[in-house]
Amino acid sequence: MTDTPHESPAVARALAALRGASRVAVLTGAGMSAESGIPTFRDALRGLWARFRPEELATPEAFARQPKLVWDWYAERRAAVAAAAPNAGHAALVRLERAVPHCTILTQNVDGLHARAGSVRVHELHGSIT
C-alpha cells in the first residue's frame, strides 16, 4: 500500500488506520463483481431481476415448475463468471490482505473472483455458483 501524490485527507486517514490495524474485515457485494462485468441482481435496467422475478428462477419451486429454464439461467450465469476476470478492486484487496496481519474478506458474491485474484482469507456468505 503506497501513498499517491494526490491522495485526499480522507484517504490518508484511511491508509494510516489500515497501516496500524492488526485486524480488518472487508465486506463486498455486487458492486465489486459489477466492475468485472458480472450483472447485479437489482440494477433497474440491466440487473438479473429486471427481466425475471426471483421466484421464477431462484427457488426450488421454480426448478420444479420449469427445470430447463432455471438450469439454462444458471448455466448462463456460470459462463459469465467463467469469462470474467478479477478487477483492480480485487487486486487492491489482495494487497490489503498481504499488508494487514489478520484481514478477512466477507463477500456476498458467488463468483469466486476474490480467490481467483489471489485472496486467501475469503468467506463466501452465499456460497459459490460453481
Side-chain angles (χ1 to χ4, degrees):
M1 295 181 351
T2 60
D3 294 340
T4 59
H6 303 291
E7 72 185 28
S8 71
V11 169
R13 285 191 305 275
L15 284 172
L18 288 169
R19 284 190 186 102
S22 60
R23 295 181 185 276
V24 172
V26 178
L27 176 63
T28 68
M32 178 68 80
S33 294
E35 291 296 317
S36 291
I38 304 293
T40 68
F41 284 93
R42 293 178 182 90
D43 181 280
L45 298 177
R46 295 181 307 273
L48 295 172
W49 298 146
R51 296 181 303 161
F52 299 99
R53 292 182 20 242
E55 301 82 18
E56 294 173 348
L57 292 169
T59 65
E61 294 80 14
F63 185 75
R65 280 190 312 272
Q66 297 185 71
K68 182 173 179 2
L69 173 67
V70 173
W71 190 258
D72 289 350
W73 184 71
Y74 276 100
E76 182 180 314
R77 289 184 60 211
R78 284 190 299 275
V81 165
N87 62 57
H90 295 104
L93 290 180
V94 170
R95 290 192 307 275
L96 178 64
E97 189 178 31
R98 291 176 182 157
V100 176
H102 299 285
C103 180
T104 301
I105 299 168
L106 308 160
T107 185
Q108 298 178 68
N109 300 331
V110 298
D111 50 44
L113 290 175
H114 286 294
R116 286 174 44 200
S119 287
V120 294
R121 290 183 297 277
V122 180
H123 298 278
E124 296 171 317
L125 302 175
H126 296 299
S128 170
I129 195 160
T130 59

